[in-house]
Amino acid sequence: MKSSSLSDSDEKYVATAEKSNAFVSTRVVDTAAELAAGTVEELDPEEALRIRRKIDRHIIPLMCFLYWIQFTDKTTLGSAAILGIRESTHLTTNQYNWLGTIFYLSYLAFEFPQNLCLQRFPVAKWMSFNISVWAVALCAHAACKNFAGLFVVRLILGACEGSITAGFLIVTSMFYTRNEQTVRVGWWFLMNGTAQIITGFISFGSLHIHTKAFEPWQWLMIITGTLTLLTALAFWFLFPDSPTTAWFLTKEERAKAVRRIKENQTGVENKSFKKEQMIEALTDPKTWLFALLSALDNVPNSLTNQRQIIVSSFGFTPLQTTLLGCVDGVVEIVTIWVGITIAARIPNSRAYVGALFMVPNLLGVFLINFLPWSDKVGLLFAQWVTGVGTTGFVLSLSWLTSVTAGHTKRITVNSIMLSAYCIGNSAGPFMWQAKYKPRNHIPWIIIGICYLSCMALLLILRYIMNEENKRREVESRDTTYDEVYIERVNSDGNADRIRVDKEFLDLTDIQNRDFRYVL
């Protein structure tokens, strides 16, 4: 029997699925549908654990290393600030701030195109291409002599980074269950803290390189750019595009890897862009609440390029400032690790944990504003405390992927949230004006308001999704998608009629009434 030919329109898909014993095109369903179709036996928990550990061994180290590299590269501007880049390239305060802003404006402009490419092309290969371009642009920093040159290379960095976090969110949702996603997103995100530590030592080493041709900040760019290029090569050859094609899994293990994430009800991926899913993402209120959370939470992220300047203003030498920057990384690593562990072990606690971890940030803002300027140790401690709240943003990233289904909807929502992330990061640098120095009361007050708003947004999102879960619990069960089939050709050439589970029909979280939002 021949399957019916359908367009990618969800309306035609729904109309077809409502017919008893309906056949649909494999283009409409999830890429894992054929691999998972027809299996009814439960996956042995021990076997599922073995598959997960095998996946962890092959992809987590690469993800962590790349995220460390990208954060190191992104923050080289802040490190280079105390290694002489501002003096060598004759940067004013506003020009230096613009170099931080243009990175995120470029990120913003390219975010949706990057997500479309991540859907259209193999995820790992597309990320590898972007990492390679990124590496060349980073090395090119060393050749820049003025603001214009630095502006161009920072713009290129921003365009390329749009593929990294978005790609990682997609990959994490492909390979892991919703509870596992919280921990894995935390693992690769806490590499930002590791980057702060290692970058501190790289900067310390660069400070002691004395050559006629290159200054220390130029050596920093060359060293980090070379590491990035090596990472791109490793990603191209070793990182899988999907569990359905992972080179380190056998055909049977791929099927088991897909069945393992069946509980997510989000499938793996679908290479066809569905306009209706994009419209649903744009009209879903939680999309914009997550976006607002992302924007407000990342206005304070302008501290990334300001921390070392601020610490230096407390009265520390460049050498002391470089080494003290390592503590920021330790704070981030410890707090993210503790936060994701708590959220993973206590069901439906993401919003509460995220809000709780922002309380120390408010304390830090208060102390920085009111401690005597002579108390440089107290001020330093207060600044370190403001790094605790990063946990809230990490949890919101993993939460977003867990509560969004439908591949086109997911890439749209990811694009919007990461675009909001760029807006927050773009606006933040302009708070740091010379007229506010040295206390910077106005920027710190804005940061405090942002954190307080983020705490409220996390709790509002939890309330909205909890109420929706309650409504679905009392609804009559929706049987619309119970009898949907695809055709699968066996090795003998005969075609079998295979029923596709609802989890692999590439339905959105609104279409699939069996979907429940994790909290």
Side-chain angles (χ1 to χ4, degrees), residues 353-419:
V353 174
L356 181 64
F357 271 70
M358 290 184 181
V359 173
N361 290 49
L362 296 177
L363 174 63
V365 170
F366 181 86
L367 291 174
I368 285 177
N369 273 290
F370 294 104
L371 281 175
W373 190 243
S374 59
D375 186 4
K376 66 179 183 179
V377 174
L379 292 168
L380 184 63
F381 173 80
Q383 171 150 302
W384 286 338
V385 169
T386 60
V388 174
T390 306
T391 303
F393 183 64
V394 174
L395 290 172
S396 70
L397 282 176
S398 62
W399 196 14
L400 179 68
T401 61
S402 300
V403 297
T404 307
H407 199 71
T408 300
K409 181 177 182 180
R410 194 183 307 150
I411 67 159
T412 304
V413 171
N414 285 349
S415 298
I416 292 171
M417 186 173 186
L418 291 173
S419 295

Side-chain angles (χ1 to χ4, degrees), residues 486-505:
I486 60 172
E487 217 173 50
R488 184 166 65 187
V489 179
N490 294 325
S491 55
D492 60 5
N494 294 322
D496 285 343
R497 176 174 173 270
I498 305 296
R499 180 179 173 275
V500 182
D501 291 329
K502 184 183 291 188
E503 293 84 354
F504 298 107
L505 292 177

Side-chain angles (χ1 to χ4, degrees), residues 113-135:
Q114 285 281 16
N115 272 270
L116 289 177
C117 290
L118 285 167
Q119 182 180 29
R120 176 66 181 84
F121 303 114
V123 175
K125 302 301 183 289
W126 181 251
M127 283 196 290
S128 300
F129 168 75
N130 278 275
I131 301 163
S132 300
V133 176
W134 173 299

Side-chain angles (χ1 to χ4, degrees), residues 18-72:
E18 285 177 342
K19 299 175 184 178
S20 178
N21 299 333
F23 275 92
V24 296
S25 166
T26 53
R27 292 180 60 213
V28 173
V29 298
D30 192 86
T31 55
E34 189 170 356
L35 193 62
T39 54
V40 294
E41 71 276 7
E42 290 293 323
L43 183 60
D44 177 64
E46 288 297 321
E47 179 66 3
L49 181 61
R50 185 187 70 81
I51 297 294
R52 191 193 75 187
R53 286 173 175 166
K54 190 171 185 178
I55 292 170
D56 279 344
R57 288 196 305 272
H58 284 85
I59 74 171
I60 292 298
L62 280 169
M63 293 178 79
C64 288
F65 193 78
L66 175 57
Y67 219 72
W68 167 70
I69 282 289
Q70 68 90 25
F71 189 83
T72 298

Side-chain angles (χ1 to χ4, degrees), residues 251-306:
K251 184 177 181 180
E252 292 74 19
E253 287 174 336
R254 291 172 189 170
K256 291 174 182 177
V258 167
R259 287 163 56 202
R260 209 180 66 79
I261 63 165
K262 183 178 177 180
E263 66 181 72
N264 293 354
Q265 301 202 44
T266 57
V268 174
E269 63 176 343
N270 185 285
K271 291 299 184 183
S272 300
F273 183 82
K274 299 180 179 179
K275 182 178 68 176
E276 290 76 13
Q277 288 195 12
M278 182 187 73
I279 294 172
E280 181 181 307
L282 296 174
T283 55
D284 190 340
K286 71 177 187 295
T287 299
W288 300 105
L289 289 172
F290 271 113
L292 182 58
L293 169 67
S294 181
L296 291 175
D297 194 59
N298 282 284
V299 169
N301 203 37
S302 58
L303 282 168
T304 299
N305 289 325
Q306 298 291 335

